[in-house]
Amino acid sequence: MKKIKTRFLVLGLSMLSSFTLLSSCVNNDDTAITEPTRYTAQDIKSYSDLFDIFWTTMDQRYVYFYEQKRRDGMDWSAIYKEYSPKFKALKTFGRSTDNDKEVNEDFLKAKQYFEEIIDPIIDRHFNVQIALPATSNGVNFTATFYGGMISEEPANRYPFVMKYGYMRSRLVPNSFNSVNYALGGYLSSNPDIYYFSFAQFSLSQNYQINLNDKYLNPDEGNGLVLTAERIDNSALLNTITNLETRKKVRDFTVNILNQWNAFPKSADVTAFHDEIAKFKSTEIVSDQFTSVAQNALTKSRSLVDYLSASTYSSVTTTETIPYLNWFITEMNTHVTWGYRLPQFQDAAVAVINRGPLYKQFLNPLHKGDIKKIIIDLRGNGGGAVVDARFFSDRFITKNEVFAYQRTKEGDGRFNYTPWVEAKTNPHKFGIPAHIPITILTDKGSASMSEITTLMLKSQGNDVVSVGDYSAGATAGLGGSDDFNGGTRDVIAGRLTFYMPLLAMKNAKGEVIEGIGVKPDIYVTPPTNEELIAMQTSPTTFVDRVLNEAIKYLSSK
């Protein structure tokens, strides 16, 4: 089976603990600096220009040069001295006067040079896409470069979709499962061990229940709320000359308004609000809560259909149509924006659809029913940092330093802020006491998976990681046009960087970028034959990493 190299992306990764920018460690050079984002396509007319802008952007923004120098002796100035003449020697740049054969030869050389320069980069989040001229008529080929692209032979991994295939049948019946996101339940073979795995750190986005205190509760005087008084003052109503017709259509529409207004004050909505209050103080999703949410949702969907023309058939005449069109528009504003019915319905749907994760995992975890757990992060390439608050913190029982972080401070190559502690923080509704935990990792465990592993391993000796080294992609990502370090911008129309803002090292002071979190119990990666068995024979596939985790937990 062919091995495929994969890059890891995260969504909005930033520092897990705030810090104050202190005085710089190294002073900036007293030279004029051009911000990378100020370069334009007009600044690149040759391979030499392309290399200069690439080198300068890296020089100003890359956060691991000090570690690169200590680990492999990389001297960024020496890189310039070595490769600047090589790029200057490339005579073509896709101009109409260039020869296609020579353009292609230069393209291949430039690609090789960039590979040689970037391959040693230790930052496993980092990549840069560079548009290189491929022909003399302006066609570019965009090549992607990243650390280890030449020198590293990637290890096989355990993709979530394959794990889902064979783990689903190994959990007790009616376990929590969502094909694309998560899988959790007690192991059939070891019913005292709970297993949980998910595809990426997007749990808060896909499963967190966020509720307002009240719904369908506009403030008094809300201008978007329709009232009987506004109906009586409607100019279109009062243009109806037939008084009997006017009264009939007026009473009909006021009745529709009153019918709808009865719902926000109904027992169903009151019960929903009562359950919200309980949830906010306990985070428990009970059967009663989901039942109440379903009842209220069903009632909301069966209210009078004020948008349908057939609803008004008994009062529709040529004379009443202008008023009825006005009423329908105002009624829709009243419901949609005045009372914000869609927001209420979304909240009810969230309780119904997202409740199972709370009922089957988060609530028993907090109650203390789960005594041992396997958290399977193999193949999980990271995701949103907010999941640390929603998920990872639930396994934290004490405040501990789990890592250190720093960023650039100014444009100097070694101009950094001091390393600042990143500390764990127990979740209000997390585990009540420390429990034996195994974390499964492989080379597909990146970014938030690694940060979560570091967080949990700071809690005590009963937290053990099993499997292969993780990816070594711990650096924190910021947004576009980051200040002093990192960038995710398109520079001069040709270079698209994916460069982290923050550097990280573990609690022991070791930079593990490009190395990964060392497992406490090492298990060799799956063979090609095992990868095939995962997919084709899920019921008989033997997961060696899982077995080691079970063996460890069974001893506790």
Side-chain angles (χ1 to χ4, degrees):
M1 179 174 289
K2 183 179 180 181
K3 296 179 180 179
I4 300 174
K5 294 185 179 182
T6 306
R7 303 308 300 151
F8 303 101
L9 308 183
V10 300
L11 306 176
L13 182 59
S14 60
M15 285 198 66
L16 296 176
S17 61
S18 59
F19 64 90
T20 303
L21 292 179
L22 306 177
S23 59
S24 64
C25 302
V26 181
N27 292 327
N28 283 326
D29 295 328
D30 295 327
T31 57
I33 298 293
T34 300
E35 278 293 310
T37 52
R38 298 198 177 195
Y39 289 114
T40 70
Q42 299 305 310
D43 292 309
I44 300 181
K45 295 183 173 63
S46 66
Y47 274 112
S48 179
D49 294 338
L50 178 65
F51 171 72
D52 283 350
I53 291 177
F54 162 77
W55 186 91
T56 300
T57 302
M58 291 288 291
D59 193 50
Q60 292 182 27
R61 298 296 184 95
Y62 185 58
V63 295
Y64 277 118
F65 275 130
Y66 180 74
E67 286 70 33
Q68 288 276 176
K69 186 173 183 178
R70 292 196 65 179
R71 185 177 296 180
D72 58 22
M74 175 183 278
D75 182 338
W76 196 238
S77 294
I79 293 290
Y80 189 87
K81 291 177 182 177
E82 178 182 356
Y83 282 93
S84 179
K86 293 183 179 181
F87 279 97
K88 285 181 180 178
L90 303 179
K91 300 303 181 184
T92 69
F93 201 69
R95 295 169 288 249
S96 58
T97 54
D98 291 333
N99 177 280
D100 271 350
K101 180 176 181 296
E102 294 174 343
V103 169
N104 184 62
E105 290 174 349
D106 283 356
F107 161 78
L108 293 175
K109 289 179 182 178
K111 185 170 177 290
Q112 176 188 337
Y113 298 156
F114 279 120
E115 288 174 351
E116 292 170 354
I117 294 168
I118 296 171
D119 178 69
I121 293 294
I122 63 173
D123 176 357
R124 287 302 178 262
H125 274 125
F126 175 88
N127 70 72
V128 58
Q129 297 178 345
I130 306 178
L132 302 172
T135 69
S136 60
N137 59 2
V139 175
N140 293 315
F141 177 86
T142 299
T144 301
F145 304 92
Y146 52 89
M149 63 184 300
I150 302 172
S151 57
E152 288 186 5
E153 181 67 22
N156 284 335
R157 302 158 186 178
Y158 293 81
F160 177 80
V161 290
M162 289 188 185
K163 288 189 299 177
Y164 183 88
Y166 67 81
M167 283 304 305
R168 182 174 49 177
S169 62
R170 300 183 187 191
L171 304 181
V172 299
N174 302 315
S175 293
F176 176 81
N177 68 86
S178 176
V179 177
N180 295 321
Y181 297 111
L183 179 68
Y186 288 98
L187 295 174
S188 299
S189 61
N190 301 77
D192 62 329
I193 298 175
Y194 195 96
Y195 172 92
F196 191 78
S197 183
F198 52 107
Q200 62 181 7
F201 279 83
S202 58
L203 293 173
S204 55
Q205 175 185 343
N206 294 309
Y207 294 111
Q208 188 171 16
I209 298 176
N210 289 310
L211 300 171
N212 296 339
D213 293 332
K214 294 285 185 181
Y215 293 91
L216 304 171
N217 188 42
D219 294 335
E220 187 176 347
N222 187 318
L224 300 176
V225 171
L226 182 62
T227 63
E229 181 181 7
R230 284 186 58 202
I231 288 175
D232 288 336
N233 292 331
S234 167
L236 290 172
L237 174 65
N238 290 309
T239 59
I240 300 174
T241 57
N242 187 302
L243 296 181
E244 183 179 347
T245 300
R246 185 194 305 171
K247 183 177 186 307
K248 182 179 179 182
V249 73
R250 180 264 180 201
D251 291 347
F252 187 89
T253 51
V254 168
N255 183 53
I256 288 176
L257 176 63
N258 289 339
Q259 284 184 57
W260 196 92
N261 284 350
F263 174 67
K265 301 174 184 177
S266 68
D268 295 295
V269 173
T270 298
F272 184 63
H273 285 147
D274 289 344
E275 292 299 325
I276 288 176
K278 295 176 188 176
F279 175 79
K280 283 183 171 288
S281 63
T282 64
E283 213 182 52
I284 293 174
V285 178
S286 63
D287 291 340
Q288 169 74 7
F289 193 6
T290 53
S291 176
V292 163
Q294 185 62 69
N295 288 339
L297 180 64
T298 301
K299 293 285 180 64
S300 76
R301 290 172 173 172
S302 62
L303 294 171
V304 58
D305 188 357
Y306 59 84
L307 290 173
S308 173
S310 63
T311 301
Y312 308 92
S313 59
S314 64
V315 292
T316 300
T317 68
T318 303
E319 196 174 18
T320 63
I321 285 176
Y323 165 71
L324 290 174
N325 286 336
W326 173 86
F327 174 79
I328 290 171
T329 299
E330 292 298 315
M331 189 66 189
N332 191 50
T333 299
H334 173 83
V335 171
T336 305
W337 300 108
Y339 277 82
R340 301 196 70 182
L341 177 67
Q343 184 187 49
F344 159 77
Q345 291 176 327
D346 288 345
V349 168
V351 172
I352 296 164
N353 291 346
R354 300 184 176 195
L357 180 68
Y358 288 78
K359 287 182 180 181
Q360 296 174 249
F361 180 40
L362 301 182
N363 293 163
L365 184 72
H366 176 52
K367 188 178 178 182
D369 292 341
I370 295 175
K371 307 295 185 183
K372 302 175 182 180
I373 188 169
I374 295 171
I375 301 174
D376 191 348
L377 299 178
R378 292 174 296 173
N380 186 320
V385 72
V386 293
D387 269 19
R389 304 286 82 90
F390 176 65
F391 176 77
S392 310
D393 281 353
R394 292 178 189 270
F395 304 94
I396 301 302
T397 58
K398 54 186 177 179
N399 299 108
E400 293 290 345
V401 174
F402 72 89
Y404 296 88
Q405 296 175 311
R406 66 141 200 251
T407 185
K408 292 287 291 292
E409 189 175 45
D411 292 314
R413 189 180 307 162
F414 302 112
N415 197 353
Y416 306 127
T417 64
W419 289 100
V420 178
E421 294 178 344
K423 300 187 74 173
T424 55
N425 184 36
H427 194 285
K428 181 180 180 181
F429 301 112
I431 55 177
H434 187 66
I435 60 175
I437 299 172
T438 56
I439 305 166
L440 312 188
T441 61
D442 66 5
K443 281 297 182 182
S445 307
S447 196
M448 270 304 299
S449 288
E450 298 177 283
I451 291 171
T452 295
T453 301
L454 293 174
M455 291 172 68
L456 271 60
K457 281 169 69 71
S458 73
Q459 296 301 290
N461 294 330
D462 280 345
V463 179
V464 170
S465 58
V466 182
D468 196 1
Y469 280 78
S470 60
T474 61
L477 292 167
S480 63
D481 194 22
D482 291 317
F483 177 73
N484 283 341
T487 182
R488 292 170 68 181
D489 294 294
V490 178
I491 308 297
R494 283 190 177 271
L495 302 109
T496 304
F497 283 91
Y498 194 82
M499 187 193 299
L501 170 70
L502 304 166
M504 178 178 277
K505 60 183 179 180
N506 65 19
K508 296 180 180 179
E510 302 164 336
V511 173
I512 59 173
E513 197 69 19
I515 298 172
V517 180
K518 180 182 179 180
D520 298 300
I521 302 173
Y522 176 75
V523 183
T524 56
T527 64
N528 291 341
E529 290 73 23
E530 285 176 312
L531 285 178
I532 295 171
M534 273 191 236
Q535 193 162 18
T536 60
S537 307
T539 58
T540 58
F541 171 68
V542 176
D543 187 335
R544 293 181 288 108
V545 180
L546 179 69
N547 287 348
E548 286 294 330
I550 293 172
K551 179 181 176 181
Y552 169 78
L553 290 176
S554 296
S555 69
K556 295 296 177 178

